[in-house]
Short mmCIF file of all heavy atoms in Angstrom, two decimals:
data_model
loop_
_atom_site.label_atom_id
_atom_site.label_comp_id
_atom_site.label_asym_id
_atom_site.label_seq_id
_atom_site.Cartn_x
_atom_site.Cartn_y
_atom_site.Cartn_z
N LYS A 879 107.60 105.15 107.32
CA LYS A 879 107.17 104.51 106.06
C LYS A 879 107.02 102.99 106.15
O LYS A 879 106.26 102.39 105.46
CB LYS A 879 108.18 104.85 104.91
CG LYS A 879 108.16 106.33 104.56
CD LYS A 879 109.12 106.65 103.42
CE LYS A 879 109.01 108.07 102.98
NZ LYS A 879 109.92 108.39 101.87
N GLU A 933 105.31 112.95 103.17
CA GLU A 933 105.47 112.20 101.88
C GLU A 933 104.44 111.07 101.79
O GLU A 933 103.78 110.87 100.74
CB GLU A 933 106.87 111.68 101.71
CG GLU A 933 107.09 111.04 100.33
CD GLU A 933 108.51 110.67 100.09
OE1 GLU A 933 109.27 110.62 101.06
OE2 GLU A 933 108.82 110.31 98.94
N LEU A 937 101.50 111.55 98.92
CA LEU A 937 101.52 110.57 97.80
C LEU A 937 100.28 109.72 97.89
O LEU A 937 99.67 109.42 96.81
CB LEU A 937 102.76 109.69 97.94
CG LEU A 937 104.02 110.26 97.19
CD1 LEU A 937 105.21 109.37 97.50
CD2 LEU A 937 103.74 110.34 95.74
N ILE A 948 100.75 113.82 90.28
CA ILE A 948 102.00 113.17 90.72
C ILE A 948 103.16 113.92 90.17
O ILE A 948 104.21 114.15 90.85
CB ILE A 948 102.06 111.69 90.33
CG1 ILE A 948 100.99 110.93 91.11
CG2 ILE A 948 103.42 111.13 90.50
CD1 ILE A 948 100.97 109.45 90.84
N TRP A 951 103.55 117.13 92.16
CA TRP A 951 104.12 116.82 93.49
C TRP A 951 105.60 116.61 93.35
O TRP A 951 106.42 117.16 94.08
CB TRP A 951 103.44 115.59 94.08
CG TRP A 951 104.29 114.89 95.08
CD1 TRP A 951 105.13 113.81 94.90
CD2 TRP A 951 104.39 115.20 96.48
NE1 TRP A 951 105.76 113.50 96.07
CE2 TRP A 951 105.30 114.28 97.05
CE3 TRP A 951 103.79 116.14 97.29
CZ2 TRP A 951 105.67 114.28 98.42
CZ3 TRP A 951 104.11 116.18 98.66
CH2 TRP A 951 104.99 115.26 99.22
N SER A 952 106.02 115.80 92.40
CA SER A 952 107.42 115.51 92.17
C SER A 952 108.24 116.72 91.87
O SER A 952 109.31 116.97 92.32
CB SER A 952 107.61 114.45 91.04
OG SER A 952 106.96 113.23 91.38
N TYR A 1052 109.91 98.00 90.76
CA TYR A 1052 110.22 99.44 90.79
C TYR A 1052 110.94 99.83 92.14
O TYR A 1052 111.66 100.84 92.11
CB TYR A 1052 108.93 100.22 90.65
CG TYR A 1052 108.39 100.19 89.27
CD1 TYR A 1052 107.16 99.64 88.96
CD2 TYR A 1052 109.11 100.75 88.19
CE1 TYR A 1052 106.67 99.53 87.69
CE2 TYR A 1052 108.61 100.63 86.90
CZ TYR A 1052 107.40 100.04 86.65
OH TYR A 1052 106.92 99.98 85.39
N LEU A 1056 114.93 101.88 92.58
CA LEU A 1056 114.91 103.16 93.26
C LEU A 1056 115.73 103.13 94.60
O LEU A 1056 116.35 104.13 94.90
CB LEU A 1056 113.44 103.59 93.59
CG LEU A 1056 113.30 105.02 94.01
CD1 LEU A 1056 113.75 106.01 92.89
CD2 LEU A 1056 111.76 105.32 94.29
N LEU A 1105 108.63 115.25 83.52
CA LEU A 1105 107.84 114.11 83.12
C LEU A 1105 107.08 114.30 81.88
O LEU A 1105 106.86 113.32 81.03
CB LEU A 1105 106.88 113.73 84.29
CG LEU A 1105 106.13 112.41 84.16
CD1 LEU A 1105 107.09 111.26 84.07
CD2 LEU A 1105 105.11 112.22 85.30
N ALA A 1155 115.02 111.85 88.01
CA ALA A 1155 114.31 111.12 86.96
C ALA A 1155 113.86 109.73 87.51
O ALA A 1155 112.72 109.30 87.16
CB ALA A 1155 115.24 110.90 85.75
N ALA A 1156 114.65 109.09 88.33
CA ALA A 1156 114.25 107.87 88.91
C ALA A 1156 113.05 107.98 89.76
O ALA A 1156 112.11 107.14 89.74
CB ALA A 1156 115.44 107.21 89.69
N TYR A 1157 112.99 109.03 90.56
CA TYR A 1157 111.89 109.25 91.55
C TYR A 1157 110.58 109.49 90.78
O TYR A 1157 109.57 108.75 90.99
CB TYR A 1157 112.21 110.43 92.42
CG TYR A 1157 111.17 110.75 93.46
CD1 TYR A 1157 111.23 110.24 94.70
CD2 TYR A 1157 110.12 111.61 93.12
CE1 TYR A 1157 110.26 110.55 95.68
CE2 TYR A 1157 109.10 111.90 94.09
CZ TYR A 1157 109.19 111.40 95.39
OH TYR A 1157 108.26 111.66 96.31
N VAL A 1158 110.54 110.48 89.86
CA VAL A 1158 109.26 110.84 89.27
C VAL A 1158 108.76 109.68 88.32
O VAL A 1158 107.60 109.45 88.25
CB VAL A 1158 109.41 112.18 88.48
CG1 VAL A 1158 110.33 112.04 87.27
CG2 VAL A 1158 108.04 112.68 88.08
N ASN A 1159 109.66 109.05 87.61
CA ASN A 1159 109.19 107.98 86.72
C ASN A 1159 108.76 106.75 87.46
O ASN A 1159 107.86 106.02 87.00
CB ASN A 1159 110.36 107.63 85.72
CG ASN A 1159 110.45 108.66 84.58
OD1 ASN A 1159 109.66 108.66 83.65
ND2 ASN A 1159 111.40 109.56 84.74
N THR A 1160 109.34 106.48 88.60
CA THR A 1160 108.92 105.32 89.43
C THR A 1160 107.52 105.47 89.79
O THR A 1160 106.63 104.58 89.63
CB THR A 1160 109.84 105.12 90.60
OG1 THR A 1160 111.18 104.76 90.19
CG2 THR A 1160 109.27 104.08 91.53
N PHE A 1161 107.13 106.63 90.44
CA PHE A 1161 105.80 106.83 90.96
C PHE A 1161 104.79 107.02 89.80
O PHE A 1161 103.63 106.61 89.91
CB PHE A 1161 105.77 108.02 91.89
CG PHE A 1161 106.37 107.67 93.25
CD1 PHE A 1161 107.61 108.11 93.56
CD2 PHE A 1161 105.72 106.86 94.14
CE1 PHE A 1161 108.24 107.79 94.72
CE2 PHE A 1161 106.30 106.49 95.34
CZ PHE A 1161 107.61 106.99 95.62
N HIS A 1162 105.22 107.60 88.66
CA HIS A 1162 104.31 107.69 87.50
C HIS A 1162 103.97 106.34 86.99
O HIS A 1162 102.81 106.02 86.71
CB HIS A 1162 105.01 108.55 86.43
CG HIS A 1162 104.22 108.61 85.16
ND1 HIS A 1162 103.06 109.28 85.01
CD2 HIS A 1162 104.44 108.01 83.94
CE1 HIS A 1162 102.56 109.14 83.80
NE2 HIS A 1162 103.43 108.38 83.10
N ASN A 1163 104.97 105.44 86.88
CA ASN A 1163 104.73 104.10 86.38
C ASN A 1163 103.85 103.31 87.28
O ASN A 1163 102.97 102.56 86.87
CB ASN A 1163 106.08 103.33 86.20
CG ASN A 1163 106.92 103.97 85.07
OD1 ASN A 1163 106.44 104.59 84.16
ND2 ASN A 1163 108.20 103.77 85.16
N ILE A 1164 104.08 103.43 88.58
CA ILE A 1164 103.21 102.75 89.56
C ILE A 1164 101.76 103.22 89.43
O ILE A 1164 100.82 102.43 89.43
CB ILE A 1164 103.80 102.91 90.99
CG1 ILE A 1164 105.06 102.15 91.13
CG2 ILE A 1164 102.73 102.44 92.02
CD1 ILE A 1164 105.78 102.41 92.45
N ALA A 1165 101.55 104.52 89.34
CA ALA A 1165 100.22 105.06 89.20
C ALA A 1165 99.53 104.50 87.97
O ALA A 1165 98.29 104.29 87.99
CB ALA A 1165 100.27 106.62 89.20
N LEU A 1166 100.26 104.31 86.89
CA LEU A 1166 99.67 103.83 85.64
C LEU A 1166 99.34 102.30 85.73
O LEU A 1166 98.42 101.85 85.15
CB LEU A 1166 100.59 104.06 84.46
CG LEU A 1166 100.70 105.48 83.99
CD1 LEU A 1166 101.79 105.56 82.87
CD2 LEU A 1166 99.36 105.92 83.39
N GLU A 1167 100.12 101.60 86.52
CA GLU A 1167 100.01 100.12 86.49
C GLU A 1167 99.34 99.50 87.63
O GLU A 1167 99.34 98.27 87.81
CB GLU A 1167 101.47 99.55 86.28
CG GLU A 1167 102.16 100.01 85.05
CD GLU A 1167 103.46 99.37 84.86
OE1 GLU A 1167 103.81 98.35 85.48
OE2 GLU A 1167 104.25 99.87 83.98
N ALA A 1176 99.65 101.23 97.11
CA ALA A 1176 100.85 101.03 96.33
C ALA A 1176 101.77 102.26 96.39
O ALA A 1176 103.00 102.16 96.58
CB ALA A 1176 100.54 100.70 94.85
N LEU A 1177 101.21 103.46 96.23
CA LEU A 1177 102.02 104.73 96.29
C LEU A 1177 102.59 104.90 97.67
O LEU A 1177 103.75 105.31 97.80
CB LEU A 1177 101.15 105.86 95.88
CG LEU A 1177 100.76 105.95 94.39
CD1 LEU A 1177 99.70 107.01 94.17
CD2 LEU A 1177 101.91 106.14 93.51
N ALA A 1178 101.81 104.68 98.75
CA ALA A 1178 102.36 104.83 100.09
C ALA A 1178 103.42 103.81 100.38
O ALA A 1178 104.40 104.14 101.09
CB ALA A 1178 101.19 104.62 101.08
N THR A 1179 103.32 102.53 99.86
CA THR A 1179 104.31 101.57 100.09
C THR A 1179 105.62 101.81 99.29
O THR A 1179 106.71 101.67 99.86
CB THR A 1179 103.75 100.21 99.68
OG1 THR A 1179 102.56 99.92 100.44
CG2 THR A 1179 104.74 99.05 99.99
N ALA A 1180 105.50 102.23 98.06
CA ALA A 1180 106.66 102.42 97.25
C ALA A 1180 107.52 103.57 97.73
O ALA A 1180 108.75 103.58 97.42
CB ALA A 1180 106.21 102.67 95.80
N CYS A 1181 106.98 104.51 98.46
CA CYS A 1181 107.80 105.63 98.91
C CYS A 1181 108.82 105.23 99.96
O CYS A 1181 109.62 106.03 100.38
CB CYS A 1181 106.92 106.79 99.37
SG CYS A 1181 106.07 106.52 100.93
N ILE A 1182 108.82 103.96 100.41
CA ILE A 1182 109.85 103.51 101.29
C ILE A 1182 111.15 103.33 100.54
O ILE A 1182 112.20 103.24 101.15
CB ILE A 1182 109.41 102.15 101.95
CG1 ILE A 1182 110.31 101.85 103.18
CG2 ILE A 1182 109.51 100.98 100.97
CD1 ILE A 1182 109.97 100.59 103.86
N SER A 1183 111.11 103.20 99.21
CA SER A 1183 112.29 102.91 98.43
C SER A 1183 113.43 103.92 98.63
O SER A 1183 114.58 103.51 98.95
CB SER A 1183 111.96 102.89 96.96
OG SER A 1183 110.81 102.09 96.68
N ASP A 1184 113.14 105.21 98.44
CA ASP A 1184 114.20 106.19 98.58
C ASP A 1184 114.67 106.22 100.05
O ASP A 1184 115.90 106.32 100.27
CB ASP A 1184 113.70 107.55 98.15
CG ASP A 1184 112.43 108.01 98.88
OD1 ASP A 1184 111.76 107.21 99.55
OD2 ASP A 1184 112.09 109.26 98.75
#
Side-chain angles (χ1 to χ4, degrees):
K879 291 183 177 181
E933 184 176 12
L937 272 173
I948 291 181
W951 157 267
S952 299
Y1052 289 115
L1056 194 58
L1105 188 61
Y1157 181 93
V1158 66
N1159 282 282
T1160 294
F1161 287 104
H1162 174 72
N1163 292 335
I1164 289 172
L1166 285 175
E1167 299 185 16
L1177 291 170
T1179 301
C1181 70
I1182 195 178
S1183 310
D1184 56 345

